[in-house]
């Protein structure tokens, strides 16, 4: 029996299941007083605080960035709509306001499931 005949006769079904998250903020974290080496390693200017959000779907990151910047005096250190990552920098108070505003705004405007805001 040839390989082609065997493959055609021994056809089986394989089901692959994946978890595809819906509209959600999966990470909302604030780093107070990040080490200068950490900032440099990830390509950020020295900052008093850094806020990190991960949003699914990734396009929601653009909206999260808009909400964060309108709520507080922060700069965007990084925004990637493909991975859904948003990093904002500024004073600790500003970063806290920005992360909270983005998290709540996505919840209230687009019915996203918010993340618990964590801090280190």
């Amino acid at each position: 029996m040839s390989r082609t005949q065997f493959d055609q006769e021994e056809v089986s079904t394989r089901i692959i299941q994946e978890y595809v998250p819906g509209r959600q903020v999966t990470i909302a974290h604030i780093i107070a007083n990040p080490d200068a080496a950490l900032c440099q390693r990830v390509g950020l200017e020295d900052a008093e605080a850094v806020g990190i959000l991960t949003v699914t779907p990734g396009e929601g990151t653009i909206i999260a960035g808009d909400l964060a910047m309108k709520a507080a005096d922060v700069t965007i250190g990084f925004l990637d709509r493909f991975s859904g990552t948003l990093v904002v920098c500024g004073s600790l108070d500003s970063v806290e306001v920005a992360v909270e505003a983005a998290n709540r705004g996505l919840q209230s405007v687009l019915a996203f499931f918010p993340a618990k805001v964590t801090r280190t």
Side-chain angles (χ1 to χ4, degrees):
M1 176 182 302
S2 74
R3 173 121 174 103
T4 304
Q5 290 172 330
F6 179 79
D7 288 344
Q8 290 174 350
E9 292 175 8
E10 298 294 324
V11 174
S12 62
T13 302
R14 180 169 49 159
I15 298 172
I16 299 172
Q17 293 181 320
E18 290 183 31
Y19 173 68
V20 180
R23 295 180 310 235
Q24 65 182 350
V25 179
T26 54
I27 295 172
H29 186 78
I30 297 165
I31 302 172
N33 302 311
D35 187 82
L38 173 68
C39 288
Q40 181 182 18
R41 182 74 177 163
V42 296
L44 301 173
E45 298 288 325
D46 287 340
E48 182 182 327
V50 174
I52 304 164
L53 288 104
T54 305
V55 179
T56 304
E59 293 80 7
T61 306
I62 299 166
I63 299 164
D66 179 56
L67 291 165
M69 291 192 72
K70 287 178 177 174
D73 183 23
V74 293
T75 59
I76 292 181
F78 181 77
L79 188 152
D80 182 16
R81 67 183 177 95
F82 297 107
S83 68
T85 304
L86 171 65
V87 177
V88 295
C89 305
S91 71
L92 181 56
D93 289 340
S94 294
V95 169
E96 286 178 337
V97 168
V99 169
E100 292 282 354
N103 200 27
R104 278 193 321 270
L106 289 173
Q107 179 186 22
S108 64
V109 174
L110 296 172
F112 275 54
F113 185 78
K116 178 184 177 189
V117 178
T118 56
R119 293 168 174 81
T120 54

